[in-house]
Amino acid sequence: MGESGNSRWQRKKDARPSEILDAALTLFVDKGYRATKMEDIAQAAGVTKGTPYLYFQNKEEIFKAVVRETIVARMQAMSAQLEQLQDASGSQLLHAALEDWWTHIGATRSAGLCKLMAAEATNFPELARFYYEEVIKPARQLLGYVVQRGMDRGEFRPANLEHVIDMLTAPMLMTMIMSHSFGLVPGCCENITRDPLAFLQSALRLTLQGLQYPVSQDLPS
Amino acid sequence: MGESGNSRWQRKKDARPSEILDAALTLFVDKGYRATKMEDIAQAAGVTKGTPYLYFQNKEEIFKAVVRETIVARMQAMSAQLEQLQDASGSQLLHAALEDWWTHIGATRSAGLCKLMAAEATNFPELARFYYEEVIKPARQLLGYVVQRGMDRGEFRPANLEHVIDMLTAPMLMTMIMSHSFGLVPGCCENITRDPLAFLQSALRLTLQGLQYPVSQDLPS
Amino acid sequence: MGESGNSRWQRKKDARPSEILDAALTLFVDKGYRATKMEDIAQAAGVTKGTPYLYFQNKEEIFKAVVRETIVARMQAMSAQLEQLQDASGSQLLHAALEDWWTHIGATRSAGLCKLMAAEATNFPELARFYYEEVIKPARQLLGYVVQRGMDRGEFRPANLEHVIDMLTAPMLMTMIMSHSFGLVPGCCENITRDPLAFLQSALRLTLQGLQYPVSQDLPS
Amino acid sequence: MGESGNSRWQRKKDARPSEILDAALTLFVDKGYRATKMEDIAQAAGVTKGTPYLYFQNKEEIFKAVVRETIVARMQAMSAQLEQLQDASGSQLLHAALEDWWTHIGATRSAGLCKLMAAEATNFPELARFYYEEVIKPARQLLGYVVQRGMDRGEFRPANLEHVIDMLTAPMLMTMIMSHSFGLVPGCCENITRDPLAFLQSALRLTLQGLQYPVSQDLPS
DNA sequence: GATGAATGAGAATTCATTCAT
DNA sequence: GATGAATGAATTCTCATTCAT
């Protein structure tokens, strides 16, 4: 026939899994885990009901695979990348990390997945632990390392390390949550989701400002 | 307190609806919206399957009512309370607000509801708008007012108001999310949920520090 | 609340389980376990799809309940009954037992259930063990007791007790199997299912004949 | 014998079909008809999913072919063999038949197939008829012939021929059923499956004993 | 002949909701 | 007002079968 795709079966074994995961990612992010039907995933991937089951045991495994293939994979790449910028100052590193994160996660569908992960953590304890070990913990270690080095070098004033890490993370979490919950609802949040990156940078600056040594003598916090 | 809200709470001799909402709140927070069965709500409220339908049209209406009756109601009370502390400094007001929030929301089941609200916003757009109008917007206006006043008075250096509000809000959101998602999973987060209030206060201090005028000569207070 | 006033709908409730089990028994016997759809059971019981699940966890539990309520229950009744005929001879007891069995099991749908049990034993090991403990074992013990007593009294010649029990059981098993497998297929077995009871009695007579002492004294087998 | 059946078995250089049937036999016997997946059959035969369909229309046809090729074929061989022992006594013939049957059917996977056949007869009426015509009927005719001859010769006392045949068959059926149902379940039947052949021989002896003329004068033939 | 990706009808199970009592 | 038995739409998952390669 003249047309390429007119066969009932489009056989793309190698491409299928990632097509399915891609469709699933979008649907999970848009509608949540429970509200996403397997058949919807199949349809969005251009296949029929049964096909996803050829590649994944069940819905839960699809969800796990989506998390693994997107955030976890990206996280590892980011960690590796940041480890090469050893010479930069703490501020520079944190700014670089923020931009990197924004490019590869914050501004992508992955951000919606983070929100979903938070929403569903208690329903998938095993996955939550995995996510914690593979994403949250390494991310926090990386940030902790950078901040601690800054303190050691006198770039930052001493402060509770965990709290600083939380402080650096909170705006990112907020951005992801807001832009994938209220931000998606028409008529909510006209002034919140304007320019998330601007907020993130502003937040980072504010936090770094707070980490500077006061000029005159001040009590350490 | 005003007398206006009494009529609603005076008919407490008929406690059924609020008992149902109370049970629903706990279950929604613990298991999520979808995973909470109507029958579980009924049972937890000490009634039988059909009874909730005598007071609420359906599950969605119960969810909305829960949000309305808990967070929204609490939010309004908090707003009223804060409006009375007009003489305090911006820092003092923000610290007071934080403690108030922590006591009445952050440390209660309501915090779980906020997380749930974020998770389900896209599934209940109407409710999301309501929540945004009744909770998020007023809260931000309140914070915005306090911060703006601080800037006007020279207590804080000028900065993007929306970003500062986001900055003040992010740690609270983070606390709520984490403590009701990963924080509930055994084996996650050994170092995150340690002492949320300490983090919140530390974050506030850090942000306020960042809002101080830099050392160089600037306007006197 | 109280136990007293709810007669009408509760009577319905009480009747449901047995109605469902009754429908299930017939369908299981007719079509086998796998080929019997839950919806068919429901329909045969005059209810809709979901109703059986109000009373039984799942299809497997219905099957187990059917077995329990029919054969096991009947078996226990039979055992109790036979224990009262202590004075009769071995032959008399065995004939009585056969007739009893025929009346209450062999000629009823329960016989089909025995066949089904044999067919599905490996698919439900737990149920098979239960059935073995509650039905097969007691039945064999009962027969064993009667035969042993006959041997002790000199009514029967000595023989391997287990083999005799098998020998007494085999015709019953055969009758049940044949009449619920080939016997149900039109055009099979014109001469097999003629008169099962006649065969059973004939078989018993033949076996008892074989248990008589030969006239001349011969070696025990 | 005739040459007519050769063509089927001569094309054995193409072993595919029989390999598939062999695999199917084992799986059917082990897991039952329904629980045996086509893919499992293919895999056990060392081919892939689609291949069985090159040789058989569908699963049902495979089942039928298995029955045909195993039991039916073996049955015909046995019949032919027994027809050659014309000189022996009835007892001798029956003992020989039993041993033959035990060797080629009772102790092999075919026994499991008999059980399966009984279990599935109503689901495959056409196959049931075929099995009845090709297996059950000839077997009964053979036995009937031997027993009748024994009666005619005065070796056995007169009795209902069909009943005697049933009587001779029942232990074999029982052995096959038990050893492929409860006998396979761990924890069932410690004392049943001990030594099936011993039981079969014992049963035959007992039956033959019952067929002997009583010593004192009894009914004339 | 073989392959194995894809199909899609079908079955089990869940649970929000209704309504006769 | 309350009850709780019953409903039936909705959803997940299975597997015999097909057919392009």
Side-chain angles (χ1 to χ4, degrees):
Chain A
M1 305 269 178
E3 291 168 301
S4 51
N6 54 0
S7 67
R8 197 151 64 124
W9 291 296
Q10 295 186 0
R11 324 182 77 201
K12 305 195 251 173
K13 188 191 177 192
D14 291 349
R16 280 283 178 254
S18 56
E19 283 170 1
I20 291 166
L21 292 183
D22 191 64
L25 170 58
T26 300
L27 285 166
F28 281 150
V29 165
D30 283 1
K31 324 177 80 164
Y33 178 78
R34 276 295 226 299
T36 296
K37 284 181 274 179
M38 283 299 280
E39 198 163 2
D40 293 342
I41 295 175
Q43 198 172 11
V47 295
T48 50
K49 233 176 17 174
T51 304
Y53 290 96
L54 297 178
Y55 301 97
F56 305 96
Q57 273 196 349
N58 51 35
K59 192 177 170 181
E60 185 168 342
E61 289 303 321
I62 290 185
F63 183 45
K64 290 179 183 176
V66 166
V67 172
R68 266 189 280 269
E69 299 290 310
T70 41
I71 322 187
V72 176
R74 177 51 57 187
M75 199 64 216
Q76 290 168 347
M78 280 177 54
S79 293
Q81 223 165 345
L82 279 180
E83 275 168 11
Q84 297 179 329
L85 299 175
Q86 293 292 355
D87 304 330
S89 72
S91 285
Q92 285 173 323
L93 276 175
L94 292 176
H95 274 289
L98 177 60
E99 247 173 76
D100 197 23
W101 175 86
W102 176 253
T103 306
H104 294 113
I105 293 186
T108 71
R109 288 176 307 176
S110 296
L113 200 54
C114 291
K115 179 214 120 181
L116 188 58
M117 197 59 239
E120 301 289 345
T122 54
N123 293 328
F124 303 98
E126 180 205 343
L127 181 60
R129 271 186 289 270
F130 171 76
Y131 185 84
Y132 176 71
E133 291 296 330
E134 298 293 323
V135 176
I136 298 180
K137 210 174 190 177
R140 294 179 67 86
Q141 278 174 341
L142 206 67
L143 290 175
Y145 172 74
V146 172
V147 173
Q148 183 64 55
R149 207 188 54 165
M151 290 180 185
D152 293 345
R153 290 180 179 178
E155 182 184 354
F156 302 139
R157 68 179 178 83
N160 180 314
L161 192 58
E162 291 299 332
H163 290 174
V164 174
I165 295 170
D166 285 343
M167 190 70 191
L168 292 168
T169 323
M172 299 194 273
L173 184 64
M174 187 186 205
T175 302
M176 294 191 292
I177 301 275
M178 294 311 286
S179 61
H180 285 88
S181 57
F182 297 99
L184 293 178
V185 178
C188 271
C189 315
E190 307 83 17
N191 45 8
I192 288 181
T193 49
R194 279 288 169 225
D195 185 352
L197 182 55
F199 158 59
L200 289 165
Q201 290 170 331
S202 172
L204 179 53
R205 256 181 275 118
L206 203 58
T207 300
L208 291 175
Q209 185 97 3
L211 281 176
Q212 278 180 3
Y213 277 97
V215 190
S216 56
Q217 67 296 0
D218 261 305
L219 304 175
S221 94
Chain B
M1 286 285 205
E3 324 280 83
S4 58
N6 276 4
S7 65
R8 171 190 280 152
W9 293 106
Q10 262 175 355
R11 57 181 174 95
K12 261 212 170 173
K13 54 180 174 182
D14 191 10
R16 277 281 182 274
S18 59
E19 282 169 2
I20 290 167
L21 293 183
D22 190 64
L25 169 58
T26 300
L27 285 166
F28 282 149
V29 166
D30 283 1
K31 324 176 85 165
Y33 177 77
R34 242 25 194 242
T36 296
K37 287 184 261 178
M38 284 298 279
E39 192 165 4
D40 292 343
I41 295 176
Q43 196 174 13
V47 295
T48 50
K49 236 172 151 179
T51 304
Y53 289 92
L54 297 176
Y55 301 99
F56 305 96
Q57 269 195 355
N58 53 33
K59 192 179 173 181
E60 187 169 340
E61 289 304 320
I62 290 183
F63 183 46
K64 292 179 183 176
V66 166
V67 173
R68 266 190 280 271
E69 300 289 313
T70 39
I71 323 188
V72 176
R74 176 54 55 188
M75 202 62 215
Q76 291 168 346
M78 280 178 56
S79 292
Q81 225 166 346
L82 279 180
E83 275 167 11
Q84 296 180 328
L85 299 174
Q86 293 292 354
D87 304 331
S89 72
S91 285
Q92 286 173 321
L93 276 174
L94 292 176
H95 274 289
L98 176 60
E99 245 173 78
D100 197 24
W101 175 86
W102 175 252
T103 305
H104 294 112
I105 293 186
T108 72
R109 289 176 306 177
S110 296
L113 198 55
C114 290
K115 181 213 119 182
L116 189 58
M117 197 58 239
E120 300 290 345
T122 54
N123 292 328
F124 303 101
E126 180 204 344
L127 180 61
R129 270 187 291 272
F130 170 77
Y131 185 86
Y132 176 69
E133 291 296 330
E134 299 295 323
V135 176
I136 298 179
K137 210 174 193 178
R140 294 178 68 86
Q141 278 175 339
L142 205 67
L143 289 174
Y145 172 75
V146 173
V147 172
Q148 184 64 56
R149 207 188 56 166
M151 290 181 186
D152 293 345
R153 290 181 180 177
E155 181 185 355
F156 304 139
R157 65 178 178 83
N160 180 314
L161 191 58
E162 291 299 334
H163 291 174
V164 175
I165 296 170
D166 285 344
M167 190 68 190
L168 292 168
T169 323
M172 297 194 275
L173 184 63
M174 187 187 206
T175 301
M176 292 191 292
I177 300 278
M178 293 311 286
S179 61
H180 285 87
S181 58
F182 296 99
L184 293 179
V185 178
C188 273
C189 313
E190 306 85 17
N191 45 7
I192 288 182
T193 48
R194 281 284 172 226
D195 184 351
L197 182 55
F199 159 59
L200 289 167
Q201 289 170 332
S202 172
L204 179 53
R205 256 180 274 121
L206 203 59
T207 300
L208 291 174
Q209 185 97 2
L211 280 177
Q212 278 181 1
Y213 276 96
V215 203
S216 54
Q217 69 299 354
D218 259 301
L219 307 172
S221 70
Chain C
M1 289 290 234
E3 336 266 278
S4 50
N6 32 15
S7 59
R8 230 173 256 187
W9 39 260
Q10 193 138 49
R11 203 167 59 203
K12 192 85 169 173
K13 189 198 174 188
D14 289 349
R16 279 283 178 257
S18 55
E19 283 170 0
I20 290 166
L21 293 183
D22 191 63
L25 169 58
T26 300
L27 285 165
F28 282 149
V29 165
D30 283 1
K31 323 177 81 164
Y33 177 78
R34 278 292 233 290
T36 296
K37 285 182 271 178
M38 283 299 279
E39 197 163 2
D40 292 343
I41 294 176
Q43 199 172 12
V47 295
T48 50
K49 234 175 16 175
T51 303
Y53 290 96
L54 297 178
Y55 301 98
F56 304 96
Q57 273 197 348
N58 51 36
K59 193 177 171 181
E60 185 169 342
E61 289 303 320
I62 290 184
F63 183 44
K64 291 179 184 177
V66 167
V67 172
R68 263 189 282 271
E69 299 289 311
T70 40
I71 322 187
V72 176
R74 175 55 55 190
M75 200 63 215
Q76 291 168 346
M78 281 177 55
S79 292
Q81 224 164 348
L82 278 180
E83 276 168 11
Q84 296 180 330
L85 300 174
Q86 293 292 355
D87 304 330
S89 73
S91 287
Q92 286 174 321
L93 276 174
L94 291 176
H95 274 289
L98 176 60
E99 245 173 78
D100 197 22
W101 175 86
W102 175 252
T103 305
H104 293 114
I105 294 186
T108 71
R109 288 177 306 178
S110 296
L113 200 54
C114 290
K115 180 214 119 183
L116 189 57
M117 198 57 240
E120 301 290 345
T122 53
N123 293 328
F124 303 100
E126 180 204 344
L127 181 61
R129 271 187 289 270
F130 171 76
Y131 185 85
Y132 176 69
E133 290 295 329
E134 300 294 323
V135 176
I136 298 179
K137 210 176 194 178
R140 295 179 67 86
Q141 277 174 340
L142 207 66
L143 290 174
Y145 172 75
V146 173
V147 172
Q148 183 64 56
R149 208 188 53 165
M151 291 179 184
D152 294 345
R153 289 182 180 177
E155 183 183 354
F156 303 139
R157 65 179 179 82
N160 180 315
L161 191 57
E162 292 298 334
H163 290 173
V164 174
I165 295 170
D166 286 342
M167 190 68 190
L168 291 168
T169 323
M172 298 195 273
L173 184 64
M174 187 186 205
T175 301
M176 293 191 293
I177 301 277
M178 293 311 285
S179 61
H180 286 88
S181 57
F182 298 100
L184 293 178
V185 178
C188 272
C189 314
E190 307 84 16
N191 45 7
I192 288 182
T193 49
R194 281 285 172 227
D195 185 350
L197 181 55
F199 159 59
L200 289 167
Q201 289 170 332
S202 171
L204 179 53
R205 255 180 276 119
L206 203 58
T207 301
L208 291 175
Q209 184 97 3
L211 280 177
Q212 279 180 0
Y213 275 97
V215 191
S216 53
Q217 57 284 35
D218 264 308
L219 303 175
S221 96
Chain D
M1 280 298 195
E3 325 279 83
S4 58
N6 277 1
S7 64
R8 172 189 278 152
W9 293 105
Q10 264 174 355
R11 57 181 172 96
K12 260 214 172 172
K13 53 180 173 181
D14 190 12
R16 278 279 184 275
S18 60
E19 282 168 0
I20 290 167
L21 293 183
D22 190 63
L25 169 58
T26 300
L27 286 165
F28 282 148
V29 166
D30 283 0
K31 323 177 84 167
Y33 177 77
R34 272 306 210 294
T36 296
K37 287 184 262 179
M38 284 297 281
E39 193 165 5
D40 292 343
I41 294 175
Q43 196 175 13
V47 296
T48 49
K49 236 171 150 181
T51 305
Y53 288 93
L54 297 176
Y55 300 98
F56 304 95
Q57 268 196 354
N58 53 33
K59 192 179 172 181
E60 187 169 339
E61 289 303 320
I62 290 184
F63 183 46
K64 292 179 183 175
V66 166
V67 172
R68 266 190 282 270
E69 302 288 312
T70 39
I71 321 188
V72 177
R74 174 54 55 190
M75 202 63 216
Q76 291 168 346
M78 279 177 56
S79 293
Q81 224 166 346
L82 279 180
E83 276 169 11
Q84 297 179 330
L85 300 174
Q86 294 292 354
D87 304 331
S89 73
S91 284
Q92 286 174 323
L93 276 174
L94 292 175
H95 275 290
L98 176 60
E99 245 172 79
D100 197 24
W101 175 87
W102 176 252
T103 306
H104 294 112
I105 293 185
T108 71
R109 289 177 307 178
S110 297
L113 199 55
C114 291
K115 181 213 122 184
L116 190 58
M117 196 58 238
E120 302 288 346
T122 54
N123 293 328
F124 303 101
E126 181 204 344
L127 180 61
R129 270 186 291 270
F130 171 77
Y131 184 86
Y132 176 70
E133 291 297 330
E134 299 294 322
V135 176
I136 298 178
K137 210 174 191 177
R140 294 179 67 85
Q141 278 174 342
L142 206 66
L143 290 174
Y145 172 75
V146 172
V147 172
Q148 183 64 55
R149 206 187 55 166
M151 290 180 186
D152 294 345
R153 291 182 179 176
E155 182 183 356
F156 303 139
R157 66 179 179 82
N160 180 314
L161 191 56
E162 292 299 332
H163 291 174
V164 174
I165 296 171
D166 286 343
M167 190 70 190
L168 292 168
T169 324
M172 298 195 273
L173 183 63
M174 186 186 206
T175 302
M176 293 191 291
I177 301 277
M178 293 310 286
S179 61
H180 285 87
S181 57
F182 297 100
L184 294 178
V185 178
C188 273
C189 315
E190 306 85 17
N191 44 9
I192 288 182
T193 49
R194 281 284 171 227
D195 184 352
L197 183 55
F199 159 59
L200 289 167
Q201 290 169 332
S202 172
L204 180 53
R205 255 181 276 121
L206 204 57
T207 300
L208 291 175
Q209 183 98 3
L211 280 177
Q212 279 181 3
Y213 277 97
V215 193
S216 55
Q217 69 290 7
D218 260 296
L219 307 173
S221 67

